[in-house]
Amino acid sequence: AWDSLAVSGPEGAWQGFGAPLVTVRDVGLPQAHRTRAALALASGTADFDDNALAVERGDSTRFLAVDVASGTRGAAGDVASGGRHVWDARAVTTIGAARWEGAISGRGAAATLESGEVEDGRAQSGMARLTLTTAPAQWTVGFARALDVHTSSGGPLIDSRRDAHENVYEAGVRHADVAARFEWRDAAVIRQGGDLFEARTHAWWGALSAGGRLAGGRLAATVGGGRHDVAGGVQLAPGLAWSAGRAGAHWELQGTRLLVPVWTDLAPGQAQFLQRTWAGRAAVSLARGRLALDADVTGGSAEHRAQLVAAPLEEQWLRAGTREDPQRYDFVLAHAQLRVESPIWRAGVEPFVLGDDRRAPEADPRAGARAWLDWGFHAFQRDLGVRVRVDGAAVGRRTATTGDLLPGYATVGGAVLLTLEDATFAIRGFNLENAVRQEPWEETATGGLAPMPRRQVRFTLTWRLYN
């Protein structure tokens, strides 16, 4: 409730096998050393019901947090019912030169489609890390473990259970602008019922990074290498990142090689393979007066691209399996966000465009945008805050699993927010035009494309508590 998010480009050389194209990290904002909590209660159409509670206390040296959330929903679109729950606990303490971190979490989700397919998923994960600062170096060792269980049945799905686990051991050291890390991973996936299989793998990765000043900014060069059972021999990945900033402006350039082993949940007849991508990202953030602009371009070229089937349930595309794209895939994704603010109103527009070397779009659109405008004021000696928001989105054409080309569309939403002290009550609406649209996947009961949810309305009460 008090954190923010930071988005960065590809970091394949440092992160190793399985590194994503874009990395999203949580950023802790400075807080006073006191107990803080947030309670959220939500309900809405389609029997939507969701509740969450977060409690935390501490600062950057000592910290304890516990979060719990659960929710259920009724019929909407091709989903007949669903539910989820999440809990996690995190702790940090500093004793002398040693910083100890630990976390444990559990989550689950279930859903039933109108056509009868049922999915139930449960997962647990935990981690522990020790960081020791001894001048002039900082040393880190850590361990993480994750468990995952999926079951599915109903409709055309034969009863099946999928068990997966992964262990990660890591160590690292940093001295001024030089850093190094090493990790070892072992993982296994076992499916019982339906398409039986058992897959196990081991991998290690090491990376060295060094940085310095260049052209008024900071340059970091990284080289990483490792071995995965799928890849066979040692694979290498270089990486470069440069960033610079001044008052009201910030620039970033990144480039690296991404290696993603695809070794489990494969389509029938598909052998294990290694997805290889050269990718880069350029980003700029500008702010002047009431205007702010964020823009970025991410592009690359991928060999042996992993392709998944579009489906509403995770178990459906897992059981359908991953296929290897026999052709090279070249892509460029451009995104921007322009915002303008005044004391009482705010507006913005956020478009994106995807260019690739394919004739038609896939399940995801090649272009889209969203725009918003909100206006607010205070009353009763500023005790009551009122904001009214209108937003719209445009979604480009998509290709369904049947091969049909779905037309683009526009949709409208809105919200009203009332704030009294530390409590906020919000009414939000989605697809206010109540249009009938189709998902890009088939509904097995009818053989036609599944419907998207119609108009939705949500009511949420959020209350921040201190001490």
Side-chain angles (χ1 to χ4, degrees):
W2 294 271
D3 290 338
S4 186
L5 296 176
V7 179
S8 62
E11 302 176 6
W14 183 255
Q15 296 183 14
F17 293 115
L21 185 63
V22 174
T23 301
V24 180
R25 294 185 175 89
D26 63 319
V27 179
L29 303 178
Q31 298 288 342
H33 191 100
R34 60 174 177 170
T35 303
R36 305 173 295 274
L39 173 67
L41 306 174
S43 63
T45 54
D47 295 326
F48 179 83
D49 184 79
D50 201 85
N51 306 297
L53 174 65
V55 182
E56 64 179 35
R57 178 179 177 84
D59 52 28
S60 60
T61 59
R62 286 181 173 83
F63 182 82
L64 177 65
V66 177
D67 306 328
V68 293
S70 65
T72 58
R73 55 170 288 186
D78 62 336
V79 177
S81 63
R84 59 116 188 182
H85 71 269
V86 179
W87 63 265
D88 69 78
R90 309 176 303 281
V92 175
T93 188
T94 303
I95 304 174
R99 174 184 173 89
W100 299 83
E101 301 174 68
I104 185 171
S105 66
R107 63 202 65 213
T112 301
L113 300 185
E114 294 285 1
S115 49
E117 294 91 335
V118 179
E119 173 187 70
D120 182 29
R122 304 178 300 280
Q124 299 85 38
S125 62
M127 60 79 66
R129 181 182 295 117
L130 168 62
T131 302
L132 185 63
T133 302
T134 58
Q138 186 179 75
W139 306 82
T140 302
V141 294
F143 168 73
R145 177 172 173 81
L147 305 171
D148 179 272
V149 178
H150 275 76
T151 59
S152 56
S153 60
L157 298 179
I158 300 174
D159 290 7
S160 179
R161 174 184 170 116
R162 180 185 185 272
D163 293 84
H165 75 260
E166 183 175 34
N167 301 311
V168 182
Y169 309 84
E170 63 172 350
V173 61
R174 178 177 294 275
H175 177 266
D177 292 328
V178 179
R181 69 180 295 265
F182 178 85
E183 71 171 26
W184 170 271
R185 294 174 177 263
D186 64 77
V189 178
I190 302 172
R191 182 173 291 280
Q192 306 172 53
D195 299 324
L196 297 171
F197 72 83
E198 179 174 345
R200 299 180 182 274
T201 187
H202 304 82
W204 62 264
W205 187 267
L208 177 66
S209 178
R213 305 294 299 179
L214 178 69
R218 177 175 176 78
L219 176 69
T222 305
V223 60
R227 186 185 186 282
H228 193 283
D229 290 345
V230 171
V234 174
Q235 298 289 324
L236 298 177
L240 283 174
W242 177 83
S243 62
R246 64 186 185 195
H250 183 79
W251 301 270
E252 291 183 5
L253 294 172
Q254 291 174 283
T256 191
R257 188 186 190 207
L258 302 171
L259 301 169
V260 180
V262 183
W263 56 278
T264 184
D265 300 296
L266 301 167
Q270 175 65 61
Q272 296 177 341
F273 60 96
L274 181 67
Q275 177 179 281
R276 303 173 174 90
T277 305
W278 288 97
R281 178 176 182 263
V284 60
S285 297
L286 303 173
R288 185 173 182 178
R290 297 178 178 179
L291 289 173
L293 172 67
D294 296 318
D296 60 86
V297 177
T298 301
S301 181
E303 292 181 310
H304 313 289
R305 183 175 63 128
Q307 293 182 301
L308 301 172
V309 174
L313 299 183
E314 183 177 2
E315 270 289 88
Q316 287 181 303
W317 57 261
L318 281 173
R319 295 182 64 168
T322 306
R323 292 190 179 276
E324 178 184 0
D325 188 345
Q327 300 178 341
R328 177 189 293 272
Y329 179 72
D330 300 321
F331 65 94
V332 176
L333 174 64
H335 159 266
Q337 183 185 90
L338 177 64
R339 306 179 302 278
V340 58
E341 297 186 6
S342 79
I344 62 173
W345 61 270
R346 298 176 296 199
V349 60
E350 186 174 10
F352 77 88
V353 177
L354 171 65
D356 58 26
D357 56 359
R358 302 302 161 92
R359 289 185 177 181
E362 298 182 343
D364 295 316
R366 283 181 171 167
R370 69 185 187 103
W372 65 92
L373 171 65
D374 69 45
W375 173 78
F377 63 92
H378 289 84
F380 303 106
Q381 297 183 341
R382 301 186 66 84
D383 287 338
L384 176 66
V386 180
R387 294 207 74 87
V388 179
R389 176 185 175 106
V390 177
D391 53 62
V395 179
R397 296 186 303 172
R398 301 162 294 154
T399 300
T401 54
T402 57
D404 298 325
L405 191 62
L406 302 179
Y409 64 90
T411 183
V412 177
V416 177
L417 285 79
L418 305 176
T419 302
L420 182 63
E421 295 292 338
D422 296 319
T424 300
F425 177 72
I427 304 175
R428 293 184 173 89
F430 312 92
N431 188 13
L432 296 182
E433 68 277 14
N434 201 30
V436 178
R437 302 188 180 98
Q438 294 173 314
E439 300 282 11
W441 53 75
E442 292 179 82
E443 189 176 39
T444 57
T446 64
L449 295 178
M452 295 178 66
R454 302 284 292 272
R455 181 187 297 124
Q456 301 285 305
V457 180
R458 303 279 170 84
F459 307 89
T460 305
L461 173 64
T462 305
W463 192 1
R464 293 191 177 188
L465 310 171
Y466 300 92
N467 293 325

